[in-house]
Each structure stands twice: as structure tokens, then as C-alpha cells.
Amino acid sequence: MDAEAQERFREFVANRSSALLKTAVLLSGGDRHAGEDLLQNALIKAAGRWHRIDEPEAYVRQILYRQQVSRWRLKWPRRELSVAEPPETGTDPDASGAAELRLVMRGALARLTARQRTVLVLRYFEDLPEGDVARILGCSVGTVRSATHRSLARLRALAPELAALGSAAAEQRPSPDYSPVEVRQ
């Protein structure tokens, strides 16, 4: 890699690594260390082909997705999960509700299989259409639809508290056309 390409790669990593790390952590089930490993391996692969890459972020994201797919296709998946202790809750009730929702969601995602987690992250966090998810995962659109449906059903079964937390968070945030109405009985 020449000096100009090295500089472009360094700039890309400096500018986009935090966003890519968020995706990698979600793909890894909330395990930050596994997400960092996933991103680091993806960046290493991208560095070797840097001079041929037209869209670096799309290329690195593609590597992330495919590496995660390869991980859940392994014959002996890792069954160990390291989870940090939740942070102390603050005095702001809105912030604590949002933090609790994030923690519950992270824990629920960690209890899904890697394939289920990958499908949900691609569809809802990355907001990719079903066709793109199918292309990334190497399956049909119908498979993506059924996998998404089954993954959401399992997520709801594993963490029914998400429905209560999600509705409580929605109640705390007024909608743009919100106007208080007094109800008299």
C-alpha cells in the first residue's frame, strides 16, 4: 500500500470506526470485546484490498456481516458470554428508563442465536431492505422474512419485559402533536 492509500485508510478508520463498532457489537450480541475483534478482523481484510475498494464503508460492513455469518456456521460455537455489570442508575427518570431499555435489549439480543441476531441487526439497526439482507446472508428473500419473523417471536418470548419498557418509554415521550387534555369523571 502506498503512502496516499495508507493515509486514506487511516482517515477512514478514524472517521468511521465508532459507527462500525456499534454494528459489530450488536452483531456480537452486545459483547464489546467480540465486536472489537470482529471489527479489527474486518479492517485487516479491508486494508489488504484497500487500493481496489470503491466504497470502503459498504465493503467493511459486508465483511462484518459475512464474518458473523461464518461464526454462527462454525461446528463448535462459543457458549460463553461475558456481560458487564449494569451502570448505576442516575436520578433522571428519563435517562434511567432509556438505559434500562438498552440493557434489557442488549441482554435479549445476547440470548438469541447468532443468525437470529444478525437478521435483526441487518433489518432493524442497519435498516436494510429484505433483498439486501438476503444478498448479504446468501439466502432468499423468503428466508429472510421467515427468519425475521421467528427471530422477533423468540425475542418477544425471551424478553417479555421489552414490551412493557418500550410502551413506558413511548408514554414518557410526547408525540409532536401532543396536547394535554383534562379528563373529568
Side-chain angles (χ1 to χ4, degrees):
M1 186 182 319
D2 63 353
E4 182 182 330
Q6 281 182 349
E7 185 58 31
R8 285 195 325 256
F9 181 73
R10 284 188 184 118
E11 287 176 13
F12 171 76
V13 171
N15 293 331
R16 299 305 306 153
S17 62
S18 63
L20 292 168
L21 180 60
K22 288 178 186 176
T23 300
V25 169
L26 285 172
L27 288 170
S28 301
D31 184 351
R32 183 170 177 87
H33 298 294
E36 289 171 349
D37 290 345
L38 187 65
L39 178 59
Q40 182 177 8
N41 290 336
L43 289 173
I44 289 170
K45 287 183 178 185
R49 296 179 179 92
W50 190 252
H51 62 282
R52 291 182 275 173
I53 300 173
D54 294 329
E55 296 181 38
E57 184 158 355
Y59 190 84
V60 172
R61 286 182 184 276
Q62 184 83 10
I63 294 171
L64 285 173
Y65 307 143
R66 290 190 177 175
Q67 280 185 315
Q68 184 61 24
V69 168
S70 295
R71 283 185 179 182
W72 49 260
R73 286 184 178 159
L74 290 176
K75 187 174 183 176
W76 300 102
R78 193 176 108 199
R79 304 238 186 251
E80 180 180 320
L81 177 65
S82 301
V83 179
E85 292 293 322
E88 294 290 326
T89 57
T91 58
D92 184 13
D94 293 337
S96 67
E100 183 179 1
L101 180 60
R102 282 193 306 274
L103 288 171
V104 171
M105 179 60 84
R106 180 177 289 168
L109 284 173
R111 292 184 297 211
L112 293 175
T113 66
R115 180 182 175 97
Q116 291 170 332
R117 188 172 47 248
T118 302
V119 168
L120 292 180
V121 167
L122 290 173
R123 283 290 291 133
Y124 298 109
F125 179 74
E126 292 291 325
D127 199 25
L128 293 177
E130 292 167 338
D132 290 351
V133 175
R135 185 180 44 77
I136 289 168
L137 297 179
C139 62
S140 70
V141 172
T143 301
V144 170
R145 288 179 184 154
S146 63
T148 302
H149 177 75
R150 285 192 303 269
S151 300
L152 285 173
R154 179 167 163 119
L155 185 68
R156 288 181 187 113
L158 287 173
E161 64 272 19
L162 281 174
L165 286 174
S167 62
E171 289 173 5
Q172 289 177 356
R173 288 188 311 265
S175 62
D177 57 349
Y178 176 77
S179 60
V181 177
E182 185 177 317
V183 178
R184 293 185 183 173
Q185 293 179 333

